């Protein structure tokens, strides 16, 4: 039953993208696209549920097939507790994104098809256990983004899409360089991650511009730069802010709430498994970059006057929190990072999709002074969605963000009290910013409140309709449930996170070989007995 489950989950959106192109009626094409995404999502939910309550004994889903045997390239897929959470996040988000585009009349078929291809690529990246296969899906994920923004974006869409394409190409080139260096460093050559775990390849010295460098150090640096370009890490996040400014709401959410967590999880997995010793050397730098990204994101958010600008800074803060967790090298921080990525993905989806709906109704909407009237004042349904999402992003107790952020800050404190201080200050500034904006938009005076007809029209237009409430409902419910009862998720994440962290520990030394009788040995007997 489970033999081809991962392949079915990954390829179902791709099949749906192809099939919906041959359906004659637009309504039928939308149904085909949505059902293919839902089918993939149901498999993803099933895979997650199989891991609940079983911890490290959860049923393993894996597939292996020789792909390009002459170059040791395999089609190998698998999931663990960390990737199960990423799979679940994508499974929840993409059907919601397709539902949010249900009424798009112009070229809706193309947009849905590209979203499905992106869903396929992100799922493949999470599940791939062969570096070449992982790179295949990783590079594939950059193509839909270019067309989604370049065709359906705002006035500056061509420039934003081209910049994103250039950055993605540079990232792919760096990633491929790290992949090739790693491949040729092992004899026999292999792309399989399980063959390379623990740095099981030769650390050669290579010359770059006449300077001797460690191959592992160069490969790890290329990997870091590749991931820093694809995820909005400060100060390399300018292209991302421009992209979010021009992208449609559903595309911005797909990139931010699903694409960015996949990039962070991929970096965490490869850096810990392939380059454990180098990661330990760079962990302080990773921690510092994370703290600075969180602090910069919070400070810049205070001065934002555009909703899209605020959204890109929220993503920057979430990436910074993830880097803080990785640099802390703590079990609680690692668990919190994975949990926070899921929580932040849901909250960013709520904020991003709501921004898109509000902009469609009020194109000139911006942050208003508290004395100025707002077209959203008194809106109950949209105010509820925005309020719950912002509370989750700022870590209000009772919602999902509180659990993840608390675990990250706890782990950071174990590394340095300054991490806890700066992280807490940043989140405090973010809370002031977000709730100041919420107050101005939803709690001020309503536009036209002195004219009964205008007030009634504004009140009606600022509320969500039944369809919109339907696709926001699972996001809100999930954020509340994860905040009140996080145990099932933590039980799934913890064993895999601890296994990932254990790869940073140096492997035990091999026992000394037996010495012939009568020969002398300089081995310390006490150390020999202890196995060190």
């Amino acid at each position: 039953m489970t033999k081809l489950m991962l392949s079915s989950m990954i390829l179902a959106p791709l099949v749906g993208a192809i099939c919906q192109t041959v359906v004659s009626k637009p309504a039928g094409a939308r149904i085909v696209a949505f059902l293919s995404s839902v089918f993939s999502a149901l498999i993803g939910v099933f895979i997650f549920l199989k891991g609940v309550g079983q911890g490290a004994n959860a049923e393993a889903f894996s597939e292996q097939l020789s792909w390009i045997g002459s170059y040791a390239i395999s089609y190998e897929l698998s999931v663990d507790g960390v990737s199960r959470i990423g799979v679940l996040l994508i499974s929840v988000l993409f059907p919601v994104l397709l539902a949010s585009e249900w009424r798009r009349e112009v070229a809706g078929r193309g947009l849905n098809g590209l979203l499905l291809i992106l869903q396929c690529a992100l799922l493949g990246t999470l599940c791939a256990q062969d570096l070449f296969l992982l790179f295949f899906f990783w590079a594939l994920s950059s193509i839909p983004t270019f067309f989604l923004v370049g065709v359906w974006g705002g006035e500056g869409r061509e420039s934003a899409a081209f910049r994103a394409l250039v950055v993605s190409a540079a990232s792919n080139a760096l990633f491929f360089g790290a992949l090739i260096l790693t491949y040729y460093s092992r004899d026999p050559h292999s792309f399989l991650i399980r063959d390379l775990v623990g740095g099981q390849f030769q650390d050669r010295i290579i010359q770059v511009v006449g300077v001797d460098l460690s191959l592992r150090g160069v490969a790890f640096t290329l990997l870091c730069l590749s991931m820093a370009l694809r995820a909005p890490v400060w100060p390399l996040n300018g292209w991302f802010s421009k992209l979010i400014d021009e992208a449609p709401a559903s595309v911005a959410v797909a990139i931010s709430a699903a694409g960015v967590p996949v990039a962070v999880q991929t970096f965490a997995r490869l850096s810990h498994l392939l380059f454990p010793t180098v990661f330990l050397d760079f962990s302080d730098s990773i921690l510092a970059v994370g703290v600075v990204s969180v602090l910069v994101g919070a400070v810049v958010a205070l001065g934002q006057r555009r909703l899209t600008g605020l959204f890109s800074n929220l993503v920057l803060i979430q990436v910074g929190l993830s880097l803080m967790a990785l640099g802390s090298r703590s079990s609680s921080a690692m668990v919190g990072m994975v949990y926070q990525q899921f929580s932040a993905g849901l909250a960013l989806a709520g904020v991003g999709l709501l921004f898109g709906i509000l902009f469609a109704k009020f194109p000139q909407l911006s942050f208003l002074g508290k004395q100025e009237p707002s077209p959203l004042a008194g809106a109950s349904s949209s105010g509820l969605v925005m309020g719950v999402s912002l509370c989750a992003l700022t870590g209000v107790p009772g919602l999902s963000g509180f659990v993840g952020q608390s675990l990250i800050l706890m782990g950071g404190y174990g590394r340095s009290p300054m991490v806890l201080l700066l992280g807490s200050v940043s989140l405090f500034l973010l809370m002031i910013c977000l709730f100041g904006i919420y107050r101005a938009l939803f709690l001020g005076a309503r536009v036209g409140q002195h004219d009964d007809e205008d007030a009634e029209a504004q009140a009606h237009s600022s509320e969500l309709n039944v369809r919109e409430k339907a696709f926001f409902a699972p996001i809100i419910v999930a954020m509340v449930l994860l905040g009140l009862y996080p145990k099932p998720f933590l039980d799934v994440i913890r064993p895999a996170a601890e296994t990932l962290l254990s790869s940073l520990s140096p492997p035990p030394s091999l026992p000394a070989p037996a010495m012939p009788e009568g020969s002398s040995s300089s081995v310390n007997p006490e150390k020999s007995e202890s196995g060190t």
Side-chain angles (χ1 to χ4, degrees):
M1 176 183 176
T2 62
K3 233 179 182 183
L4 298 176
M5 188 161 286
L6 292 178
S7 292
S8 300
M9 177 185 69
I10 294 169
L11 298 179
L14 182 61
V15 173
I18 296 172
C19 291
Q20 57 120 26
T21 61
V22 300
V23 177
S24 58
K25 295 184 178 181
R30 284 196 295 269
I31 293 174
V32 170
F34 181 72
L35 290 180
S36 64
S37 181
V38 170
F39 177 76
S40 173
L42 291 175
I43 298 177
V45 172
F46 174 78
I47 290 173
F48 170 77
L49 292 177
K50 293 295 287 186
V52 174
Q54 299 181 36
N57 299 319
E59 180 178 351
F61 294 86
S62 61
E63 299 174 22
Q64 185 176 1
L65 178 69
S66 179
W67 187 14
I68 309 175
S70 55
Y71 293 97
I73 300 175
S74 302
Y75 178 82
E76 183 163 333
L77 305 172
S78 183
V79 291
D80 60 12
V82 174
S83 55
R84 284 175 198 260
I85 299 300
V87 166
L88 182 64
L89 176 62
I90 293 171
S91 299
V92 172
L93 287 184
F94 272 84
V96 172
L97 297 181
L98 290 170
S100 70
E101 295 289 348
W102 194 266
R103 293 187 177 178
R104 182 177 289 272
E105 297 179 356
V106 180
R109 195 190 304 253
L111 187 143
N112 290 338
L114 290 169
L115 283 176
L116 289 171
I117 295 173
L118 182 59
Q119 181 180 1
C120 165
L122 294 178
L123 288 171
T125 303
L126 285 173
C127 299
Q129 300 299 313
D130 181 280
L131 287 178
F132 192 88
L133 181 65
L134 192 154
F135 176 77
F136 172 83
F137 285 115
W138 174 262
L140 177 63
S141 67
S142 62
I143 297 174
T145 303
F146 171 74
F147 290 103
L148 285 167
V149 177
V151 176
W152 289 274
E155 294 181 359
R157 58 184 180 274
E158 291 91 351
S159 173
F162 181 74
R163 289 174 65 179
L165 182 65
V166 171
V167 170
S168 297
S171 172
N172 294 341
L174 293 168
F175 191 5
F176 192 72
L179 179 153
I180 292 299
L181 287 175
T182 306
Y183 172 75
Y184 279 107
S185 299
R186 187 183 186 276
D187 194 14
H189 304 324
S190 176
F191 283 111
L192 285 176
I193 295 177
R194 56 184 165 83
D195 290 343
L196 304 167
V197 168
Q200 297 179 27
F201 49 90
Q202 297 178 2
D203 186 16
R204 302 173 181 173
I205 300 298
I206 59 176
Q207 284 195 341
V208 179
V209 197
V211 179
D212 291 340
L213 297 174
S214 163
L215 183 143
R216 285 180 182 169
V218 172
F220 180 76
T221 302
L222 294 178
L223 177 66
C224 287
L225 291 174
S226 173
M227 297 302 169
L229 285 174
R230 284 291 289 271
V233 176
W234 187 86
L236 304 177
N237 60 319
W239 71 273
F240 184 83
S241 300
K242 179 67 174 174
L243 189 72
I244 295 301
D245 281 345
E246 304 299 336
S250 60
V251 177
V253 170
I255 298 168
S256 305
V260 170
V262 168
V264 174
Q265 286 193 20
T266 302
F267 172 70
R269 179 161 59 119
L270 296 184
S271 62
H272 282 66
L273 296 179
L274 305 186
F275 309 101
T277 56
V278 186
F279 179 84
L280 288 174
D281 294 336
F282 279 79
S283 61
D284 288 339
S285 300
I286 293 172
L287 179 63
V289 171
V291 172
V292 171
S293 294
V294 173
L295 190 57
V296 169
V299 172
V300 174
L302 286 171
Q304 282 292 343
R305 288 297 177 266
R306 295 175 298 108
L307 293 176
T308 52
L310 172 66
F311 189 79
S312 62
N313 279 284
L314 292 176
V315 180
L316 175 62
I317 291 170
Q318 299 307 320
V319 174
L321 288 171
S322 298
L323 295 180
M324 284 172 54
L326 290 176
S328 298
R329 305 200 315 263
S330 161
S331 174
S332 61
M334 180 68 78
V335 173
M337 180 201 77
V338 180
Y339 197 91
Q340 176 63 14
Q341 285 182 332
F342 187 83
S343 167
L346 296 176
L348 289 172
V351 172
L353 292 177
L354 185 61
F355 281 175
I357 292 171
L358 297 180
F359 269 125
K361 296 177 178 179
F362 311 104
Q364 304 303 319
L365 186 65
S366 63
F367 301 166
L368 306 171
K370 58 185 178 181
Q371 300 300 325
E372 300 179 43
S374 167
L376 304 176
S380 59
S381 55
S382 53
L384 175 64
V385 172
M386 180 68 79
V388 174
S389 300
L390 295 184
C391 286
L393 286 171
T394 53
V396 172
L399 294 174
S400 54
F402 175 75
V403 179
Q405 291 179 17
S406 298
L407 290 173
I408 291 173
L409 293 177
M410 286 168 54
Y413 177 78
R415 186 71 184 278
S416 170
M418 189 58 67
V419 175
L420 175 61
L421 176 62
L422 294 177
S424 300
V425 169
S426 301
L427 293 175
F428 175 71
L429 294 177
L430 179 64
M431 181 177 291
I432 292 175
C433 169
L434 295 183
F435 284 99
I437 293 167
Y438 184 87
R439 178 187 179 188
L441 291 179
F442 292 97
L443 303 179
R446 179 185 291 278
V447 172
Q449 66 177 358
H450 299 300
D451 187 323
D452 292 340
E453 293 185 3
D454 288 346
E456 185 177 351
Q458 289 283 357
H460 179 73
S461 62
S462 61
E463 296 291 353
L464 302 176
N465 59 37
V466 175
R467 180 182 64 88
E468 292 163 347
K469 290 178 182 177
F471 63 71
F472 276 121
I475 296 176
I476 301 300
V477 170
M479 285 190 287
V480 174
L481 290 179
L482 265 68
L484 296 177
Y485 190 61
K487 184 179 182 298
F489 283 77
L490 297 179
D491 289 344
V492 171
I493 299 169
R494 185 179 292 110
E498 292 176 350
T499 300
L500 204 59
L501 276 175
S502 67
S503 64
L504 299 179
S505 304
S509 303
L510 295 175
M515 303 296 292
E517 275 189 34
S519 62
S520 61
S521 171
S522 60
V523 177
N524 187 324
E526 295 181 1
K527 290 186 177 180
S528 297
E529 290 176 6
S530 64
T532 58

